[in-house]
């Protein structure tokens, strides 16, 4: 594998997530947990026990009453990135340092924004603590994985499995194929950001406040003072 790849671990989901069809070349895949742990530990140089602890306590895979060590599979989003330039820290870049840095930053931002958009649509459609817990841009060089960029996020909210109902899958996939949910309107993006923030806070009361702020932003166009308040 010479080309770069993107990988995102999806937290708090079960096998029904495989019915979801993402946009573009993004794919949802079921990975054996050993495959993910091997990749994660190779990229981060952390011991396997750290990966198991994160899966159990922080990434939503230890919530079904079973021992985490009985876990067989995890669910990930993957995408090949043939257009991804050489990492900006590579010695082979020479005079192309700035150009490659700008290109990699642009591609990373674009990919993560697309995933954020799809995740927000899924959250708006149904209950559940679905989240992107780990993201990585990586390649395979000299018989080992090479990490270019990575990001982790813990699940602090109440962990509830996100389940895709068969009767809803058609409309879910239609919504995912529609245009971006984030728009040029700042007040709408502010509302969506507050909605997403409700998944990150540890206390349910703070999550509720984030949702209230999201609703108030939706009902106001952002041009003047608040015209509507939620109570």
């Amino acid at each position: 594998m010479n080309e770069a790849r993107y990988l995102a671990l999806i937290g708090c989901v079960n096998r029904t997530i495989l019915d979801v069809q993402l946009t573009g070349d993004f794919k949802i895949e079921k990975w054996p947990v050993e495959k993910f742990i091997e990749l994660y530990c190779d990229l981060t140089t952390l011991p396997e026990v750290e990966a198991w602890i994160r899966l159990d306590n922080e990434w939503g895979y230890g919530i079904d009453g079973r021992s985490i060590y009985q876990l067989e599979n995890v669910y990930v989003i993957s995408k090949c990135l043939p257009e991804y330039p050489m990492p900006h820290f590579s010695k082979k870049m020479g005079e192309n340092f700035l150009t490659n840095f700008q290109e990699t930053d642009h591609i990373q931002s674009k990919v993560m924004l697309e995933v954020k958009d799809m995740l927000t649509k899924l959250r708006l459609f149904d209950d559940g603590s679905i989240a992107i817990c780990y993201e990585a841009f990586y390649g395979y060089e000299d018989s080992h994985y090479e990490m270019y960029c990575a990001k982790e996020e813990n699940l602090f909210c109440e962990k509830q499995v996100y389940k895709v109902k068969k009767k809803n899958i058609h409309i879910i996939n239609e919504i995912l194929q529609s245009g971006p949910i984030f728009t040029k309107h700042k007040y709408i993006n502010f509302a969506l950001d507050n909605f997403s923030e409700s998944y990150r806070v540890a206390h349910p009361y703070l999550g509720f406040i984030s949702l209230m702020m999201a609703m108030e932003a939706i009902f106001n166009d952002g041009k003047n003072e608040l015209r509507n308040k939620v109570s």
Side-chain angles (χ1 to χ4, degrees):
M1 179 179 63
N2 295 322
E3 66 183 10
R5 297 184 67 90
Y6 168 80
L7 180 81
L9 176 70
I10 315 172
C12 281
V13 293
N14 61 14
R15 63 179 306 277
T16 61
I17 197 67
L18 295 172
D19 293 327
V20 172
Q21 297 175 3
L22 302 181
T23 58
D25 297 324
F26 291 96
K27 296 179 181 179
I28 295 180
E29 301 175 342
K30 179 174 70 175
W31 277 24
V33 65
E34 293 83 3
K35 177 181 178 180
F36 172 78
I37 288 178
E38 179 184 0
L39 173 62
Y40 178 78
C41 293
D42 202 353
L43 292 178
T44 62
T45 69
L46 291 172
E48 286 190 11
V49 65
E50 291 292 337
W52 283 109
I53 290 173
R54 283 167 167 76
L55 286 168
D56 189 11
N57 299 325
E58 301 171 6
W59 293 342
Y61 280 91
I63 60 176
D64 58 0
R66 299 185 305 167
S67 166
I68 188 63
Y69 294 105
Q70 293 178 294
L71 180 67
E72 296 180 357
N73 302 297
V74 297
Y75 300 93
V76 302
I77 297 173
S78 67
K79 179 181 173 69
C80 294
L81 301 171
E83 74 280 15
Y84 198 92
M86 196 174 296
H88 63 269
F89 50 79
S90 173
K91 296 179 181 178
K92 302 176 184 178
M93 285 180 46
E95 298 178 356
N96 296 325
F97 179 90
L98 181 59
T99 300
N100 280 266
F101 178 84
Q102 292 172 334
E103 289 180 5
T104 55
D105 183 67
H106 173 74
I107 292 172
Q108 290 168 7
S109 298
K110 181 175 181 293
V111 168
M112 289 191 288
L113 182 60
E114 289 174 339
V115 172
K116 177 183 177 182
D117 187 90
M118 291 184 284
L119 175 66
T120 303
K121 289 177 179 178
L122 289 171
R123 284 173 166 174
L124 285 168
F125 195 85
D126 213 339
D127 295 332
S129 306
I130 183 173
I132 300 300
C133 299
Y134 177 73
E135 294 177 278
F137 295 84
Y138 67 98
Y140 191 74
E141 301 175 11
D142 300 327
S143 301
H144 72 280
Y145 293 108
E146 185 76 29
M147 182 169 66
Y148 305 147
C149 175
K151 174 185 176 183
E152 291 189 25
E153 183 167 330
N154 298 336
L155 276 170
F156 292 114
C157 62
E158 181 182 358
K159 297 179 177 65
Q160 178 184 352
V161 176
Y162 184 93
K163 300 177 182 179
V164 180
K165 300 179 180 66
K166 285 287 186 182
K167 65 179 182 179
N168 295 333
I169 190 60
H170 178 70
I171 185 64
I172 289 176
N173 287 333
E174 277 192 355
I175 292 172
L176 287 171
Q177 301 303 320
S178 64
I181 194 170
F182 287 87
T183 72
K184 63 180 180 180
H185 300 294
K186 292 182 179 180
Y187 74 98
I188 293 179
N189 293 340
F190 177 77
L192 292 172
D193 284 339
N194 274 280
F195 171 71
S196 297
E197 192 64 27
S198 68
Y199 285 79
R200 298 190 180 99
V201 294
H203 202 292
Y205 292 157
L206 295 178
F208 180 73
I209 291 173
S210 294
L211 292 174
M212 294 280 284
M213 292 173 64
M215 291 181 65
E216 287 189 347
I218 283 291
F219 294 135
N220 295 275
D221 60 13
K223 295 179 180 179
N224 299 299
E225 295 182 1
L226 288 177
R227 292 180 296 178
N228 301 284
K229 290 186 70 66
V230 178
S231 61

